[in-house]
């Protein structure tokens, strides 16, 4: 036989315990070892009494209630107010008094009492029904906010005889529905071993049933180039009300998380023009239209190799994969910046409050979603540098259930355009103002090929992934603060959408270009659902020419989190064409050529003294610009452009400018090394012999 559920050491407060249900609860808890504080009224004060007497409060059962039944036409303000004051406000006040104490002790169990009248409605009980359904809403929110502190809140709708129900139930029925048939459910829900939270139960006469919401699949009642009309709703009414294959939403995310998917279907199947019948809609149209073309304040942002590496780690690059070393180690011979770092600088225009500047837009930031993202590079991003960004509102679209703001951001190095971003920002609930639905300025998402993916890569995110990624500049507390995440309707902080975006792009880059960042041209992605840190990201990829289509799923759930996405790659020949003319742009090229000429006379002598191969990686503006090899190991020595044909003994990374400083004797190589301006790997001691070459043989 199962061991008895005990409450030894627990302190329980039961309101409305003068008789009926409350008295049954109090006696049952006490019988099983609990210290019980009960009351007929003024339960809020008894929280303090419980704390004074026992030093803690573990369980609150909100049971107190009264009836003032009247038909709706006969309800007075007093009838309405007293019911809400006792049932809803009373539950709020008692629970609030205990809440902080439960949080501090990281334990609490709360019961709210609803009613069948509140769930289904009942003639003559409009005041009572409204208050009782209100307690359910209160309990649902408390279950979310209290979860992280091990505070569980559940709701019961009891059918039991009591002094309160004697006025509305026959005596024999009151006797049959004993309070003792309800108390066992309350005790189980309040036991420390019970994990139930945020649930609703009907209970009575020895029967218990759990209730949940159910939602039909519904219907999209929009047609392209036609107003949405009541007739269209009527035509789809049967489908709207069809509960075959119904879903069962359990959270606000389930309720709102599919908005973007629905909008995608609307866009692909044909949209609807909003009604133009109201003056308010016309005014809104004019206001939104006035935002188009608005330029946000331009700004410049300087970043170093530290930010480049921090971003790479934030999107999953790891030393566990040797091919990732080029993204996380500044001493790597081909140290590179991940292409998607381009969104980090650009998003600062909005992270710094830029959206609030836009005229004609009243933005509730609690209802802002990042819908889609497009990024295009015109040359590889330097590993450090200063970029100047200019942002402009490209267009504003009316999607009915919301507004889409297209924000174009151009990032320059000097006068040279380095990259371009388009942020699609979705404002939930701001649509229906009669604006246009489409724009030729949109960088469109593209449907996936209709075949199994060609390649699949997976990465498990760290529990600290969001905490790490936010260091790149997205400080939204939604991704780190459990309290804020709960307020937004999430069980816990979620991963940044652009972090998932970075993981996915890295998968494509690794699979189809061997991490060659010079081949990356553009990426487009649509954000579909949130990801939680610790989940595994699975990127499915389809190759069609130089375009790689992809979608990203959470492996544990199968949910698609990035949809209709693609990466455009440059062919290898195109990247070679983009390489600058080394002789024309790099001063170091002249030096290497001169060293090569001098070696023709003294090469064999130098080879005997040095006996090493040196590979040089010359950078310009933080980006790789050229590779040269000085072979002082074979034959009479040789200097040539490109990587070593065999293995290099020492690899040196230095900027074109610093190289010239070293050659001219203005920069000491050792000081350059310790200051990070010169990086070396391999046999570093051989660089001392190299210094001899530059000083004694080049004589430039």
């Amino acid at each position: 036989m199962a061991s008895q559920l005990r409450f030894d050491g627990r302190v329980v407060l039961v309101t409305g315990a003068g008789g009926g249900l409350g008295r049954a609860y109090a006696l049952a808890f006490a019988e099983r070892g609990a210290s019980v504080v009960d009351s007929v009224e003024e339960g809020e004060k008894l929280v303090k009494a419980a704390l004074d007497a026992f030093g803690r409060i573990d369980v609150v059962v909100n049971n107190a209630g009264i009836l003032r039944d009247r038909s709706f036409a006969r309800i007075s303000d007093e009838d309405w107010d007293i019911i809400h004051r006792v049932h809803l406000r009373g539950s709020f006040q008692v629970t609030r008094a205990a809440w902080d104490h439960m949080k501090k002790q990281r334990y609490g169990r709360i019961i709210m009492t609803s009613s069948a009248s509140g769930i289904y409605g009942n003639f003559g009980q409009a005041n009572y029904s409204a208050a009782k359904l209100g307690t359910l809403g209160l309990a649902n929110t408390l279950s979310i906010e209290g979860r992280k502190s091990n505070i569980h809140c559940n709701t019961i709708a009891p059918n039991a005889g009591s002094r309160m129900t004697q006025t509305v139930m026959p005596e024999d029925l009151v006797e049959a529905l004993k309070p003792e048939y309800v108390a066992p459910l309350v005790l189980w829900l309040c036991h420390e071993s019970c994990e139930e939270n945020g649930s609703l139960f009907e209970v009575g006469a020895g029967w218990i049933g759990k209730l949940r919401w159910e939602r039909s699949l519904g219907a999209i009642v929009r047609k392209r180039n036609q107003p949405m009309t009541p007739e269209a709703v009527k035509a789809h009414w049967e489908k709207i009300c069809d509960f075959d294959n119904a879903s069962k939403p359990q959270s606000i995310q389930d309720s709102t998380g599919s908005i973007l998917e629905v909008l995608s279907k609307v866009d692909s199947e044909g949209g609807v023009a909003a009604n133009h019948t109201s003056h308010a809609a016309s005014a809104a149209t004019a206001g939104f239209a006035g935002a188009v073309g608005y330029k946000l304040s331009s700004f410049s942002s300087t970043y170093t190799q530290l930010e480049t590496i921090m971003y790479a780690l934030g999107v999953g690059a790891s030393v566990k994969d040797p091919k990732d070393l080029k993204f996380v180690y500044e001493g790597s011979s081909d140290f590179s910046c991940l292409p998607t770092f381009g969104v980090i600088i650009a998003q600062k225009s909005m992270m710094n409050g830029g959206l609030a500047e836009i005229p004609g837009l009243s933005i509730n930031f609690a209802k802002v979603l990042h819908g889609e993202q497009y990024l295009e590079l015109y040359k590889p991003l330097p590993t450090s540098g200063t970029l100047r960004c200019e942002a402009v509102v490209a267009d504003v679209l009316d999607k009915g259930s919301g507004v889409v703001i297209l924000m174009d951001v151009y990032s320059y190095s000097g006068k040279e355009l380095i990259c371009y971003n388009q942020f699609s920002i979705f404002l939930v609930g701001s649509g229906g103002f009669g604006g246009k639905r489409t724009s030729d300025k949109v960088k469109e998402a593209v449907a996936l090929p209709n075949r199994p993916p060609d390649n699949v890569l997976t990465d498990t995110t760290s529990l600290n992934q969001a905490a790490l990624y936010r260091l790149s500049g997205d400080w939204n507390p939604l991704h780190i603060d459990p309290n804020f995440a709960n307020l937004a309707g999430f069980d816990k902080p979620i991963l940044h959408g652009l972090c998932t975006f970075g993981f996915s792009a890295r998968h494509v880059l690794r699979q189809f270009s061997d991490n060659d960042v010079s081949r990356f041209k553009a990426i487009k992605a649509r954000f579909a659902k949130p990801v939680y840190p610790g989940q595994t990201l699975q990127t499915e990829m389809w190759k069609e020419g130089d375009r790689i289509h992809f979608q990203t799923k959470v492996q544990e759930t199968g949910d698609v989190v990035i949809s209709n996405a693609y990466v455009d790659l440059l062919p290898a020949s195109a990247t070679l064409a983009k390489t600058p003319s080394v002789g024309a742009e790099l001063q170091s090229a002249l030096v290497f050529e001169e060293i090569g000429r001098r070696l023709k006379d003294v090469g064999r002598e130098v080879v005997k003294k040095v006996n090493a191969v040196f590979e040089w990686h010359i950078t310009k503006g933080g980006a790789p610009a050229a590779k040269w090899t000085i072979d002082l190991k074979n034959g009479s020595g040789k200097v040539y452009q490109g990587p070593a044909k065999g293995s290099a003994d020492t690899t040196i990374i230095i900027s074109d400018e610093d190289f010239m400083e070293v050659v001219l004797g203005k920069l000491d190589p050792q000081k350059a090394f310790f200051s990070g301006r010169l990086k070396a790997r391999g046999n570093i001691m051989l660089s001392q012999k190299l210094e001899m070459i530059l000083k004694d043989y080049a004589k430039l």
Side-chain angles (χ1 to χ4, degrees):
M1 186 174 180
S3 59
Q4 187 183 52
L5 297 177
R6 299 288 300 174
F7 291 86
D8 301 287
R10 296 299 186 191
V11 179
V12 179
L13 170 60
V14 180
T15 68
L21 286 168
R23 184 171 183 274
Y25 301 154
L27 292 174
F29 276 115
E31 183 182 347
R32 292 171 180 258
S35 299
V36 179
V37 179
D38 55 35
S39 74
V40 179
E41 55 187 356
E42 296 185 345
E44 185 180 10
K45 294 180 180 178
L46 286 182
V47 171
K48 184 177 185 304
L51 293 168
D52 291 343
F54 304 108
R56 61 184 295 122
I57 181 78
D58 298 292
V59 177
V60 170
V61 180
N62 290 292
N63 171 74
I66 60 171
L67 287 176
R68 290 293 186 273
D69 292 352
R70 303 281 191 278
S71 66
F72 184 69
R74 297 178 59 231
I75 292 178
S76 66
D77 288 351
E78 182 183 356
D79 293 332
W80 180 271
D81 291 343
I82 193 172
I83 290 294
H84 281 73
R85 186 164 61 249
V86 172
H87 290 272
L88 185 53
R89 182 174 174 80
S91 297
F92 156 71
Q93 289 181 314
V94 174
T95 305
R96 181 179 61 177
W99 187 257
D100 284 343
H101 303 285
M102 289 180 169
K103 287 180 67 177
K104 288 177 183 177
Q105 67 196 23
R106 298 195 63 77
Y107 181 85
R109 296 292 185 266
I110 300 167
I111 297 294
M112 294 291 179
T113 303
S114 186
S115 166
S117 297
I119 300 170
Y120 307 108
N122 190 32
F123 185 88
Q125 292 191 312
N127 52 357
Y128 181 73
S129 299
K132 283 304 187 183
L133 194 58
T135 62
L136 174 61
L138 174 60
N140 289 342
T141 294
L142 294 183
S143 70
I144 295 170
E145 293 189 18
R147 183 183 293 118
K148 66 183 180 302
S149 300
N150 191 27
I151 302 174
H152 296 172
C153 186
N154 292 286
T155 306
I156 63 168
N159 281 291
S162 66
R163 289 180 299 176
M164 188 175 74
T165 58
Q166 284 176 352
T167 60
V168 294
M169 287 185 179
E171 184 177 347
D172 56 344
L173 182 56
V174 171
E175 176 62 24
L177 299 175
K178 292 183 178 180
E180 288 78 5
Y181 296 151
V182 176
L185 170 62
V186 171
L187 266 66
W188 163 237
L189 291 175
C190 293
H191 195 265
E192 60 189 29
S193 65
C194 181
E195 294 299 322
E196 196 70 34
N197 187 29
S199 299
L200 169 64
F201 299 89
E202 287 188 283
V203 54
W207 170 88
I208 302 170
K210 183 175 181 178
L211 281 75
R212 65 185 180 190
W213 292 100
E214 188 175 48
R215 180 177 63 193
S216 73
L217 291 180
I220 298 174
V221 294
R222 302 180 177 189
K223 297 294 183 181
R224 185 179 296 278
N225 298 325
Q226 296 180 17
M228 181 176 172
T229 65
E231 290 76 18
V233 176
K234 176 184 177 182
H236 291 84
W237 194 247
E238 184 175 347
K239 185 176 181 181
I240 290 170
C241 299
D242 183 0
F243 278 88
D244 290 342
N245 301 314
S247 63
K248 299 171 178 63
Q250 297 180 343
S251 67
I252 195 168
Q253 301 99 289
D254 293 338
S255 175
T256 62
S258 59
I259 288 177
L260 293 178
E261 293 183 26
V262 170
L263 288 175
S264 175
K265 292 179 182 178
V266 171
D267 288 340
S268 61
E269 296 173 1
V272 60
N275 295 319
H276 300 273
T277 56
S278 76
H279 174 74
S282 299
T285 303
F288 283 116
V292 177
Y294 178 79
K295 293 182 179 180
L296 277 65
S297 301
S298 63
F299 68 94
S300 294
S301 183
T302 299
Y303 64 95
T304 67
Q305 295 173 347
L306 174 63
E307 283 82 8
T308 300
I309 293 171
M310 189 71 71
Y311 173 78
L313 294 170
V315 296
S318 170
V319 294
K320 291 187 296 184
D321 184 347
K323 291 186 177 182
D324 278 355
L325 193 64
K326 64 185 293 185
F327 302 123
V328 298
Y329 175 43
E330 74 286 356
S332 175
S333 61
D334 52 353
F335 179 50
S336 303
C337 179
L338 279 169
T340 47
F341 182 73
V343 303
I344 296 298
I345 300 296
Q347 74 177 359
K348 290 185 178 181
S349 60
M350 288 167 287
M351 297 300 296
N352 294 336
L355 289 178
E357 298 179 10
I358 302 173
L361 295 185
S362 178
I363 297 176
N364 180 352
F365 287 94
K367 295 186 177 182
V368 172
L369 300 176
H370 191 171
E372 299 181 3
Q373 182 68 35
Y374 178 79
L375 165 67
E376 184 171 354
L377 298 185
Y378 300 98
K379 64 180 299 182
L381 291 167
T383 55
S384 62
T386 299
L387 295 181
R388 177 175 53 85
C389 296
E390 297 181 354
V392 60
V393 179
D395 219 335
V396 178
L397 306 179
D398 182 359
K399 294 295 185 178
S401 58
V403 167
V404 171
I405 300 175
L406 299 179
M407 183 70 70
D408 287 349
V409 184
Y410 301 86
S411 301
Y412 299 86
S413 177
K415 294 183 178 181
E416 183 179 17
L417 180 60
I418 301 297
C419 66
Y420 158 73
N421 280 270
Q422 184 177 89
F423 296 82
S424 296
I425 309 300
F426 187 77
L427 308 182
V428 179
S430 299
F433 60 88
K436 62 181 181 180
R437 294 187 52 79
T438 60
S439 171
D440 57 4
K441 296 178 182 178
V442 175
K443 299 295 183 180
E444 297 286 0
V446 179
L448 300 174
N450 187 22
R451 68 173 192 270
D454 301 324
N455 298 91
V456 178
L457 290 179
T458 61
D459 255 324
T460 300
T461 63
S462 162
L463 290 174
N464 291 318
Q465 203 71 56
L468 180 59
Y469 181 85
R470 71 189 299 267
L471 300 180
S472 290
D474 188 339
W475 303 104
N476 189 337
L478 174 65
H479 307 292
I480 190 70
D481 186 340
N483 288 326
F484 196 92
N486 290 160
L487 290 174
F490 296 100
D491 294 340
K492 52 189 174 182
I494 63 173
L495 195 61
H496 305 70
L498 284 175
C499 181
T500 305
F501 176 85
F503 267 87
S504 305
R506 198 169 49 75
H507 287 167
V508 174
L509 198 66
R510 181 170 65 190
Q511 182 66 42
F512 292 101
S513 71
D514 196 29
N515 278 353
D516 182 357
V517 297
S518 67
R519 292 196 58 200
F520 189 97
K521 180 182 179 183
I523 180 172
K524 171 70 180 185
R526 174 178 292 159
F527 302 108
K529 286 190 176 181
V531 177
Y532 290 105
Q535 291 183 319
T536 301
L537 296 174
Q538 175 178 301
T539 306
E540 301 173 345
M541 296 166 277
W542 294 259
K543 187 177 190 302
E544 293 196 339
D546 289 321
R547 172 163 288 183
I548 312 301
H549 299 267
F550 73 90
Q551 71 176 7
T552 306
K553 295 179 177 178
V554 170
Q555 191 176 64
E556 291 83 356
T557 64
D559 289 341
V560 175
V561 294
I562 288 183
S563 64
N564 294 4
Y566 65 82
V567 168
D568 284 337
L569 298 174
L570 292 167
S573 59
T575 61
L576 292 175
K578 289 176 65 178
T579 303
S581 173
V582 174
E585 296 187 7
L586 300 179
Q587 298 181 67
S588 55
L590 301 175
V591 177
F592 286 114
E593 291 169 358
E594 182 63 20
I595 292 175
R597 283 192 289 270
R598 302 290 176 91
L599 282 177
K600 293 178 181 179
D601 299 328
V602 295
R604 291 189 181 279
E605 179 185 351
V606 176
V607 167
K608 289 180 182 179
K609 292 183 177 180
V610 178
N611 191 33
V613 176
F614 299 90
E615 184 175 297
W616 293 78
H617 293 200
I618 304 299
T619 67
K620 187 76 172 178
K627 291 182 181 180
W628 286 86
T629 299
I630 301 180
D631 182 352
L632 299 179
K633 194 173 190 176
N634 301 296
S636 59
K638 189 176 183 181
V639 177
Y640 55 89
Q641 186 177 351
K645 294 177 181 177
S647 60
D649 296 289
T650 304
T651 299
I652 298 174
I653 305 99
I654 191 170
S655 72
D656 186 56
E657 296 81 4
D658 286 343
F659 177 85
M660 294 306 298
E661 293 282 299
V662 170
V663 169
L664 295 172
K666 296 180 179 180
L667 177 64
D668 181 83
Q670 288 189 342
K671 291 182 179 179
F673 176 77
F674 287 114
S675 66
R677 294 169 68 178
L678 180 153
K679 303 177 181 67
R681 65 178 186 176
N683 189 340
I684 299 175
M685 298 305 296
L686 288 173
S687 61
Q688 295 179 359
K689 295 184 177 181
L690 185 64
E691 186 176 353
M692 172 192 70
I693 300 168
L694 294 175
K695 286 185 176 180
D696 298 341
Y697 289 89
K699 298 185 186 301
L700 299 177

